[in-house]
Amino acid sequence: MKRIIYAIVVLLLVSSCKKGSKPGGTTVPVIPASDTSLQKMLPFKFGGAVNINLLRTNTKYADVAKHEYNSITAENAMKFGALHPQENTYNWTDADYLVNFAQTNGAKRVHGHTLIWHQSLPSWVTNYSGDSAAFENIMKTHIQTVVTRFKGKVTSWDVVNEAFEDSGVLRNSIWRQKLGDDYIARCFQYANQADPDAILFYNDYGHEYSSAKRTAITNMITDFKNRGIPIHGTGMQFHMTVTQSDANISTAINAAAATGLKVHIAELDIRLNNDKVQGLTFTTAMATQQAAKYGYVVKTFNAIPAAQKYGITTWNVGDADSWVPGWLGAPDWPLPFDAVYKRKPAYYSIINAVK
Ligand code: G3I
């Protein structure tokens, strides 16, 4: 008798959980309970790039990061200019705060962004007048000091960021000008020497709209593999407009997976106001369109081999924190949380995309 009652209770529970099915077989979105989170619901790591000032001062912001993410990136605090403002001065305060936050809030993975980039460089580097050997030493010392400092705490690094133009040619950055085309390979070697366990990424934007750039990156990865240069992952930024086609998104994700390396969608945001319309407001229709695009990205990413799914990181937390409105000079709402950290339709679409 006890067994029969138990079976009936189980049956009742199971049927009450099947909220996604309606009579007639149509499916409605399954809205997760309020105690759920992206980190609980997704079969890969999900995170955000965080602004350390907001993390320190805005409780809601910090709560979302704590609750939702199991991976975290510094939006700016680990860039060259932030960490190494003078030749003989390193400033670890903000980066340490982030690492400590990650360690004390559920052992979140920390992804380091970024060791070598043409932007956010301090003036002592951009104005450097020494010869090529001295400049090489700056690059090597910076990489190895930073990677060593966070050894065992930062799991992975964007070793080089945005080294290619959209046309596929190497960007004529200060690094290339002073050190030649092969500086990228040496950056990976220097990082690997400092922490052989660190997972090393090349990170760039435009995989979804520039086949020339995608091909250049793929060729570089093949060349590195042939030469034994330690590269383990490809980071696709995916700062995209909501009008980006699904076909382009899947081409980019599948091309990255075809390298055999780990794939990180590293800076995801989906903007709605690419035409920079002043005074635009966020409508339900826009929210729905954005949710569908987020869902498509997640579903396509989730279909690549499990071992290659390094994770998805959005570029900041809530709409009010995003770099996009400042960059566009117009209002926008590119993230899965709104300005007061309420979950948007995009949030639910991310979760439903892996069901
Ligand atoms: O910290 C100073 C502050 O003291 C000063 O008052 C203020 C005045 O403008 O500037 C502050 O620094 C700004 C910093 O963000 C922190 O807010 C810099 O000027 C500004 O250039 C910097 O912008 C960042 C940008 O990278 C350049 O480093 C954005 O926040 C950040 O979202 C953006 O992120 C990049 C990725 O690293 C690489 N991929 C593209 C992505 C978007 O551009």
Side-chain angles (χ1 to χ4, degrees):
M1 187 62 182
K2 261 189 183 171
R3 275 195 188 162
I4 294 171
I5 293 172
Y6 177 77
I8 291 169
V9 169
V10 169
L11 273 173
L12 284 172
L13 277 174
V14 168
S15 68
S16 76
C17 286
K18 285 185 177 168
K19 288 179 190 137
S21 303
K22 278 207 290 193
T26 45
T27 305
V28 292
V30 177
I31 306 300
S34 60
D35 69 342
T36 196
S37 66
L38 295 165
Q39 60 170 321
K40 269 194 214 162
M41 300 299 287
L42 300 175
F44 49 79
K45 301 260 188 201
F46 195 98
V50 297
N51 170 316
I52 313 301
N53 285 339
L54 287 173
L55 202 61
R56 279 202 181 92
T57 58
N58 185 328
T59 317
K60 278 191 175 174
Y61 185 91
D63 282 349
V64 173
K66 278 179 204 170
H67 183 71
E68 301 284 355
Y69 302 154
N70 50 9
S71 178
I72 208 147
T73 303
E75 184 184 23
N76 291 307
M78 290 189 179
K79 289 175 180 171
F80 201 127
L83 286 181
H84 196 172
Q86 305 291 335
E87 185 158 8
N88 296 310
T89 307
Y90 286 84
N91 180 357
W92 306 111
T93 313
D94 283 359
D96 281 349
Y97 186 90
L98 176 74
V99 168
N100 184 54
F101 175 88
Q103 288 177 337
T104 54
N105 288 288
K108 298 184 193 309
R109 180 179 74 190
V110 180
H111 174 70
H113 174 86
T114 174
L115 295 167
I116 295 296
W117 189 26
H118 62 283
Q119 282 189 37
S120 297
L121 290 171
S123 53
W124 72 268
V125 171
T126 51
N127 296 333
Y128 199 76
S129 57
D131 64 11
S132 176
F135 208 74
E136 179 86 14
N137 191 47
I138 288 174
M139 183 174 82
K140 178 179 180 184
T141 304
H142 176 78
I143 291 172
Q144 298 201 327
T145 305
V146 173
V147 172
T148 302
R149 178 68 167 55
F150 293 110
K151 194 172 173 172
K153 296 176 177 168
V154 169
T155 307
S156 49
W157 287 98
D158 289 333
V159 177
V160 177
N161 193 45
E162 301 173 9
F164 289 96
E165 301 280 4
D166 286 352
S167 64
V169 303
L170 270 181
R171 186 187 296 279
N172 202 20
S173 69
I174 189 167
W175 304 107
R176 178 172 182 255
Q177 286 171 38
K178 302 250 186 200
L179 305 174
D181 290 0
D182 209 31
Y183 79 92
I184 306 174
R186 297 199 299 279
C187 290
F188 281 82
Q189 290 172 319
Y190 295 148
N192 182 250
Q193 285 163 10
D195 182 358
D197 294 328
I199 302 171
L200 305 181
F201 282 82
Y202 174 76
N203 189 51
D204 214 326
Y205 62 86
H207 291 248
E208 70 283 20
Y209 64 76
S210 169
S211 63
K213 191 180 219 176
R214 206 165 52 227
T215 303
I217 293 168
T218 307
N219 290 345
M220 179 189 73
I221 291 169
T222 306
D223 172 56
F224 281 13
K225 283 186 180 169
N226 290 340
R227 292 160 62 201
I229 305 294
I231 183 167
H232 314 113
T234 178
M236 297 189 290
Q237 296 186 6
F238 271 17
H239 295 289
M240 66 173 71
T241 165
V242 74
T243 53
Q244 185 54 260
S245 72
D246 290 351
N248 279 354
I249 292 168
S250 67
T251 299
I253 292 174
N254 293 327
T259 64
L261 300 186
K262 293 183 189 301
V263 180
H264 185 196
I265 295 182
E267 306 187 12
L268 181 62
D269 45 39
I270 302 183
R271 60 186 179 273
L272 294 158
N273 191 11
N274 210 39
D275 294 336
K276 306 176 191 179
V277 177
Q278 303 299 325
L280 191 72
T281 51
F282 184 60
T283 62
T284 307
M286 285 155 73
T288 305
Q289 195 191 5
Q290 182 183 53
K293 202 55 70 178
Y294 265 100
Y296 189 80
V297 170
V298 171
K299 189 176 173 193
T300 311
F301 178 78
N302 195 36
I304 71 173
Q308 288 180 264
K309 284 184 235 177
Y310 196 66
I312 297 183
T313 300
T314 60
W315 205 242
N316 225 313
V317 179
D319 284 338
D321 317 315
S322 170
W323 73 292
V324 171
W327 172 61
L328 289 177
D332 214 310
W333 307 266
L335 290 164
F337 298 92
D338 73 9
V340 293
Y341 305 105
K342 206 167 146 259
R343 295 163 172 178
K344 291 165 60 184
Y347 176 95
Y348 299 107
S349 181
I350 289 169
I351 290 176
N352 288 335
V354 301
K355 292 218 164 96

